[in-house]
Amino acid sequence: MIQVGIIGGAGYTAGELIRILLNHAKAEIAFVQSSSNAGNPIDTVHRDLIGETSLNFVAEPDFEAVDVIFLCMGHGKSKEFIERNSIPDAVRIIDLSHDYRLKAEGNDFIYGLPELNREVIRSSRRIANPGCFATGIQLAVLPLAAAGVLENEVHVHAITGSTGAGQAPSRTSHFSWRNSNVSVYKAFQHQHLGEITQSFKQLQNSFDFAINFIPVRGNHTRGIFASVYTDFKGSLEEAKDLYKSYYADHPFVFVTDENPDVKQVVNTNKAVLHLEKHGDKLLILSVTDNLLKGASGQAVQNMNLLFGLDEKEGLNLKPVSF
């Protein structure tokens, strides 16, 4: 059994990690750390886990007791944690923050999008889990970059559920504001643009075009619906063949002829893509669960790869479609 530690255990991503790992046949949770909840039962914070676990939060991690740790802290906190603690080299790290996603001198983390870096992930020890918007948008475009046919700007309009803002309440996540409401934020300057561009250039080094990204706060709880379009000279059938070929051996990405909706993927690690051709534009619709394929599910997928397990272990989850 893989012994797992979770750092920063009170938030949404940690809660989803715990839920998945409690039902994972090859992994066992050794501890869940939370400074603000130390000593309290986990199910007093994650109320959906009542009756599922008797674990309590701990104040300090025990690195000698684990094979892997998941860092579920706010952006900037993971780097501080790693610099502050002596983590044994044998302990693998999967970081769910933004801290190590961009390549930089001294950064030995591998960008953990399996549909881009699966073979490198298998032999790595430190993984930077991708952002939620970044995952859905990249999956919509990677086959074009891999074929070297990104020849113009990429336009993205994507809406996310309120859980994407994290568990700590704010004005724009408060129910009375979010319900029956929609708003744009961080237009053209979202923090995920850097990692998206980095991945496109990894597959197509000549890519030097703008990614025009309009993020939208939705009035639903979870799920991302991304509408992506760019120039494409080929036919719709050629585009479908390209996408189906690229994702043929990736078990969580599906190309469908039907117009998708968010409920098809909520509570799963799936990404569902739909292609349409409109004149010289290829439209790609991409739907994902921001907390699973966009965070905790993908983190478990990465753990499976790190330890040589079936990629889908623990992730055969049914969508909440009604």
Side-chain angles (χ1 to χ4, degrees), residues 57-255:
F57 291 105
V58 301
E60 299 295 332
D62 179 3
F63 298 122
E64 299 300 328
V66 295
D67 303 300
V68 60
I69 56 172
F70 292 90
L71 305 183
C72 299
M73 299 176 288
H75 303 310
K77 300 296 184 182
S78 292
K79 191 171 186 293
E80 291 178 5
F81 180 85
I82 288 174
E83 291 175 349
R84 191 172 64 246
N85 289 275
S86 297
I87 303 171
D89 290 340
V91 176
R92 293 172 171 89
I93 301 173
I94 300 174
D95 177 30
L96 279 77
S97 81
H98 183 74
D99 293 8
Y100 294 100
R101 291 172 186 162
L102 299 181
K103 294 177 181 176
E105 186 176 352
N107 178 10
D108 61 352
F109 279 70
I110 297 299
Y111 187 66
L113 185 63
E115 292 78 13
L116 176 68
N117 288 326
R118 180 164 59 188
E119 295 311 313
V120 182
I121 292 168
R122 290 187 199 274
S123 59
S124 302
R125 307 199 72 81
R126 294 184 169 196
I127 302 298
N129 216 56
C132 53
F133 268 135
T135 294
I137 294 167
Q138 287 176 90
L139 293 178
V141 182
L142 289 184
L144 300 178
V149 295
L150 281 176
E151 298 178 344
N152 210 330
E153 296 182 351
V154 177
H155 301 269
V156 183
H157 182 274
I159 186 166
T160 187
S162 58
T163 51
Q167 191 176 47
S170 68
R171 183 184 67 84
T172 56
S173 64
H174 194 284
F175 177 82
S176 61
W177 186 91
R178 195 95 177 201
N179 188 50
S180 301
N181 202 7
V182 172
S183 66
V184 168
Y185 71 108
K186 296 182 181 178
F188 298 101
Q189 55 185 356
H190 195 276
Q191 65 270 17
H192 290 178
L193 281 169
E195 61 188 281
I196 296 169
T197 301
Q198 177 177 269
S199 295
F200 290 177
K201 289 185 72 67
Q202 178 180 328
L203 292 177
Q204 182 181 327
N205 190 53
S206 63
F207 179 78
D208 193 26
F209 303 102
I211 301 172
N212 301 305
F213 178 26
I214 309 298
V216 180
R217 299 183 184 96
N219 62 359
H220 58 295
T221 302
R222 60 197 287 173
I224 289 175
F225 192 110
S227 304
V228 183
Y229 68 90
T230 190
D231 289 351
F232 182 72
K233 293 177 180 177
S235 67
L236 177 59
E237 288 308 313
E238 288 172 328
K240 288 180 180 178
D241 288 345
L242 191 156
Y243 274 70
K244 289 178 180 178
S245 174
Y246 186 91
Y247 290 119
D249 64 345
H250 290 287
F252 291 110
V253 184
F254 302 91
V255 181

